[in-house]
Amino acid sequence: MQRFYFELWFFWALRVVLCNLFLGAVLASLITVMLYIKQGVPALDPEIKTALWELFRFWFFISLNLALLVALFRSVKYLFNRPHAGYVLRLKKCAKEDEPSRGYIDPVGYGNLVKVWRKWFMLLIWIVGSFMVLALIATYLFTPYEALFDWFNIYVLYGFILAGGYLSFIFMTGRCKNIRIVKC
């Protein structure tokens, strides 16, 4: 079962990182192009190219933060219906009074994931918050940092999110009653 969770986490983390980088680059490119057009489309001399590159770099790091939420939402869809190590996560249909049997949703769409994503995201927030408290305690006790959050930046937060994702998958089936692990 541990191999299932590791494979699930690995492909999820890979998807989140790549989707986040892609969406961040697209958003930063759009903003840079819009600003370039708003300035009247000046000739591309080396000074303008340098300015455009600096604009892109500035907006890229801001858009990475915005794209992270979209990447996290999009990544949940791909957790389902793909086997890992002989198991697969499945999302149950909601039971209705006129429907006697509860089956599984196949294929899972984004509309089916709103409640699941909300519960999973809150679980991820609590796990990441716990990691931050533990890291803060360890920093205070074992490192020479003067200020408590000298070590904290967005890359550390991304690392906490990726590490917390692994634990969230383990706790997700207990937290979300419509998610089951099915043996293939």
Side-chain angles (χ1 to χ4, degrees), residues 1-174:
M1 197 57 139
Q2 207 60 15
R3 186 171 164 220
F4 165 73
Y5 286 122
F6 179 76
E7 285 184 17
L8 185 70
W9 171 80
F10 178 76
F11 289 111
W12 169 80
L14 187 66
R15 178 173 293 280
V16 167
V17 168
L18 293 177
C19 183
N20 191 23
L21 290 173
F22 176 75
L23 291 175
V26 166
L27 187 59
S29 297
L30 287 174
I31 292 171
T32 303
V33 167
M34 286 181 2
L35 290 172
Y36 178 67
I37 292 171
K38 188 173 181 178
Q39 292 299 319
V41 192
L44 286 175
D45 58 8
E47 186 177 301
I48 297 292
K49 288 180 184 177
T50 304
L52 288 175
W53 173 246
E54 291 299 319
L55 275 173
F56 174 81
R57 282 187 43 210
F58 173 78
W59 284 107
F60 178 71
F61 292 111
I62 292 173
S63 62
L64 271 181
N65 299 316
L66 298 173
L68 180 62
L69 291 173
V70 176
L72 286 173
F73 180 73
R74 290 193 69 228
S75 69
V76 174
K77 176 183 174 185
Y78 299 100
L79 296 176
F80 297 98
N81 302 328
R82 182 171 180 206
H84 299 284
Y87 295 95
V88 67
L89 273 181
R90 301 295 304 258
L91 186 61
K92 285 185 175 182
K93 291 181 183 177
C94 292
K96 295 182 181 165
E97 295 165 9
D98 57 347
E99 196 176 299
S101 65
R102 289 180 60 166
Y104 295 110
I105 299 173
D106 189 33
V108 175
Y110 291 115
N112 307 114
L113 294 175
V114 176
K115 285 185 179 181
V116 172
W117 185 78
R118 189 183 73 228
K119 288 181 181 181
W120 172 76
F121 191 62
M122 288 307 297
L123 179 64
L124 185 65
I125 288 172
W126 279 102
I127 291 171
V128 169
S130 301
F131 282 171
M132 289 178 64
V133 168
L134 292 174
L136 182 65
I137 291 170
T139 301
Y140 182 71
L141 293 176
F142 302 115
T143 63
Y145 284 117
E146 294 295 323
L148 289 178
F149 285 106
D150 276 349
W151 53 272
F152 189 75
N153 58 32
I154 193 67
Y155 305 110
V156 172
L157 180 62
Y158 280 3
F160 284 159
I161 289 171
L162 292 177
Y166 182 78
L167 288 177
S168 72
F169 297 142
I170 294 172
F171 296 128
M172 188 166 54
T173 55

